[in-house]
Amino acid sequence: MGTGGVQMLYIRRAAAKDAQTIAVIQAESWRQAYREILPPQSLEKLGSPSYWLEYWQKELKASTAEHYIALEGDQAVGFFSLGEPEEEDREPGNRELRSIYFAPDHWRKGYGTQCMSFILSNVVEAGYRKLILWALKGNLIGSSFYTKLGFLQDGRERKVKPDLPVTEVCFYKLLG
């Protein structure tokens, strides 16, 4: 146990063998976190591990992004990805948190805070000055978490996918 009864996570780079685990965590998280945001037919599709598996198999083999998995003991409880920002945010000194998800039965255990501490330390150490992330509009759990950690919204919104009737909002945090 860490301080205050919080289990300390072990964070390591994700490998190709982690694709199935990551797909399951992402699907479970989407089903729970976005059930009041996404239409039922979209949630049924995006809440399926099989939907995410092919994506993560390709992503973990070919991506230039950095993917990490968070473990409690030997059990994967979450993952996150860092990479170069989308075109409109691609400036020297910017980094993007592309994803951060935890299995719902591991929410509110301090794991997100531990991972964000790891993320912010590594991003600052690598010389980045701004961390950007996009969150689904209406995702109150995520938005309150990011705000608590000092992220601000910049007012921009974008469509997630052409066939998905939801938008994302942009958060950022100035570093060091």
Side-chain angles (χ1 to χ4, degrees):
M1 287 278 178
T3 58
V6 174
Q7 177 76 29
M8 294 302 294
L9 290 178
Y10 172 67
I11 298 169
R12 67 165 170 79
R13 281 286 188 116
K17 67 182 174 95
D18 297 313
Q20 176 69 39
T21 300
I22 289 172
V24 168
I25 291 170
Q26 185 160 6
E28 288 176 356
S29 187
W30 276 61
R31 278 195 309 269
Q32 185 69 26
Y34 304 150
R35 69 179 183 265
E36 295 183 19
I37 299 171
L38 294 173
Q41 67 276 17
S42 298
L43 192 58
E44 184 176 329
K45 176 181 170 184
L46 297 169
S48 167
S50 61
Y51 176 84
W52 294 107
L53 182 57
E54 184 179 349
Y55 170 81
W56 282 110
Q57 287 171 331
K58 289 178 184 175
E59 184 68 14
L60 291 170
K61 286 180 185 172
S63 177
T64 59
E66 299 169 32
H67 305 290
Y68 295 87
I69 195 152
L71 300 140
E72 177 188 77
D74 61 357
Q75 180 186 9
V77 297
F79 72 93
F80 57 91
S81 301
L82 291 160
E84 190 171 329
E86 298 288 328
E87 192 68 39
E88 68 270 14
D89 294 317
R90 199 167 292 156
E91 296 175 16
N94 288 359
R95 195 72 169 150
E96 183 174 343
L97 177 59
R98 294 186 178 170
S99 61
I100 183 167
Y101 292 102
F102 293 88
D105 55 342
H106 294 283
W107 289 355
R108 305 221 183 267
K109 290 186 174 184
Y111 295 159
T113 302
Q114 286 182 55
C115 286
M116 285 301 277
S117 178
F118 175 91
I119 291 163
L120 293 169
S121 293
N122 285 332
V123 169
V124 167
E125 188 177 298
Y128 294 100
R129 298 183 306 272
K130 185 178 184 181
L131 184 62
I132 297 162
L133 65 88
W134 291 84
L136 280 185
K137 188 175 185 175
N139 176 4
L140 302 180
I141 294 169
S143 296
S144 65
F145 173 68
Y146 303 133
T147 302
K148 179 182 87 171
L149 294 173
F151 283 82
L152 303 170
Q153 287 190 39
D154 72 5
R156 291 184 297 150
E157 295 184 5
R158 69 182 185 190
K159 289 255 323 149
V160 176
K161 293 180 177 187
D163 61 334
L164 202 57
V166 292
T167 57
E168 295 176 305
V169 294
C170 186
F171 286 83
Y172 72 95
K173 182 176 178 79
L174 298 176
L175 307 168

